[in-house]
Amino acid sequence: MRFVIALASTNVARGTGGPFGAAVFERTGWRLVAIGVNLVESTRCSHAHAEMVALANAQQTVGRFDLSAAGFPTHELVTSCEPCAMCYGAIPWSGIRSVLCGARASDAEAIGFDEGAKPKNWVAEFKRRRITVVRDLCRKEAAAVLQAYKKGGGAIYGARKTS
């Protein structure tokens, strides 16, 4: 988790994107497969979230769109913040079997990001799909990156909430 928090922090410090980092690992042995940072602004692409970038990079690295294909190791997504609605939707299709999260969506929302509409019971939905979720790993450290981003004047972007 500290590795992806450092990715997020470095992304902010370099001004290359938002305060989010992610990585895909093989669950057994923790071999790093791919990393991703938020690149929404630099790529002018709304779906260039850290998780989406990490998943795309992992799929390119292993040469398959399904990270749970027969004969492949089990893959895990480690992310500095809980997935937003878009990333939540992509995770089951990617073949990821577990998700480890740092900050909560509420931490991202506290600085103004709109995390979108996802089920309140999203962890149970993943469990139903045999995807395990671990939350609040190094949460204070991950949330501190979000706060530093806001204090530094980082752009807050995303869908517009309606009342």
Side-chain angles (χ1 to χ4, degrees):
M1 181 56 65
R2 287 190 173 95
F3 174 71
V4 299
I5 293 170
L7 289 174
S9 183
T10 300
N11 201 39
V12 171
R14 291 184 178 167
T16 50
F20 304 97
V24 174
F25 292 89
E26 289 179 3
R27 188 187 286 171
T28 304
W30 279 87
R31 184 180 80 82
L32 176 64
V33 176
I35 65 169
V37 292
N38 180 285
L39 300 172
V40 169
E41 286 194 288
S42 62
T43 62
R44 295 176 205 64
C45 181
S46 63
H47 69 266
H49 289 198
E51 298 94 332
M52 302 293 279
V53 173
L55 292 172
N57 288 341
Q59 291 162 339
Q60 291 298 304
T61 297
V62 303
R64 300 219 27 137
F65 64 86
D66 182 359
L67 297 173
S68 65
F72 280 81
T74 302
H75 291 91
E76 184 162 69
L77 176 67
V78 181
T79 180
S80 65
C81 189
E82 290 177 345
C84 69
M86 176 179 60
C87 297
Y88 165 81
I91 290 168
W93 290 347
S94 72
I96 287 292
R97 303 311 322 153
S98 61
V99 180
L100 283 63
C101 308
R104 293 246 176 158
S106 59
D107 297 323
E109 290 170 343
I111 68 163
F113 281 104
D114 179 356
E115 295 298 280
K118 73 181 181 197
K120 289 193 185 298
N121 61 345
W122 69 273
V123 173
E125 283 296 319
F126 273 3
K127 184 177 181 180
R128 188 179 66 76
R129 292 174 174 263
R130 295 186 298 268
I131 300 169
T132 60
V133 176
V134 178
R135 299 162 83 186
D136 300 333
L137 295 172
C138 305
R139 181 179 179 186
K140 286 183 181 182
E141 293 170 49
V145 174
L146 297 170
Q147 290 295 324
Y149 178 75
K150 181 173 181 160
K151 286 180 186 172
I156 306 295
Y157 46 82
R160 307 301 183 264
K161 289 184 181 181
T162 58
S163 302

